[in-house]
Amino acid sequence: MSGTDAAGDGTDGVRKRATLRTRHDDPTVVARAVRPDNTDAMGTAVTEDRVVTRIERPTTGGLRSTVDDYVVNLRVAEQVAATARGEAATVDPVREATASDGPNDSDITTDDTHDT
């Protein structure tokens, strides 16, 4: 066990965090669709036209897996919302999530500064 692994679980004790902000025509519907799959380490809210989900995990690998799963759920929720409106989903929420509003403004943020 290393000196930075106080928990003895292979982590460095620093929680890894990600915040995903995605734009939707029906953000409330999309948020309601993805919330049932959220774990205790996740929180989803709606702000204006965006679904904002914060994810926290003890490891970078766990964070990546959770984000991957969430993105799949988000795509399905957007497709279902579009179908309910009687139209095909025309916006890829993942592409929207990685779009930047400004030259130094990212819509996906993480507090993870460690490679594991």
Side-chain angles (χ1 to χ4, degrees):
M1 174 168 63
S2 73
T4 60
D5 186 15
D9 59 3
T11 67
D12 59 8
V14 177
R15 305 279 297 177
K16 313 308 181 206
R17 296 177 186 90
T19 300
L20 292 86
R21 295 175 184 87
T22 52
R23 291 187 191 111
H24 304 275
D25 290 333
D26 293 318
T28 302
V29 170
V30 171
R32 288 176 64 191
V34 298
R35 273 191 196 115
D37 289 324
N38 284 2
T39 67
D40 291 341
M42 299 171 69
T44 298
V46 175
T47 58
E48 298 176 11
D49 65 341
R50 295 180 189 223
V51 173
V52 179
T53 298
R54 290 177 173 76
I55 302 168
E56 183 176 310
R57 296 293 305 265
T59 65
T60 302
L63 179 64
R64 180 179 179 178
S65 294
T66 302
V67 169
D68 285 348
D69 290 346
Y70 172 78
V71 168
V72 170
N73 293 342
L74 192 63
R75 282 183 169 151
V76 171
E78 178 61 31
Q79 291 170 352
V80 169
T83 300
R85 291 190 307 269
E87 59 191 52
T90 57
V91 176
D92 182 349
V94 175
R95 185 167 293 144
E96 287 294 314
T98 58
S100 193
D101 291 332
N104 296 314
D105 181 25
S106 175
D107 286 327
I108 296 179
T109 59
T110 65
D111 294 330
D112 181 15
T113 58
H114 306 286
D115 288 331
T116 58

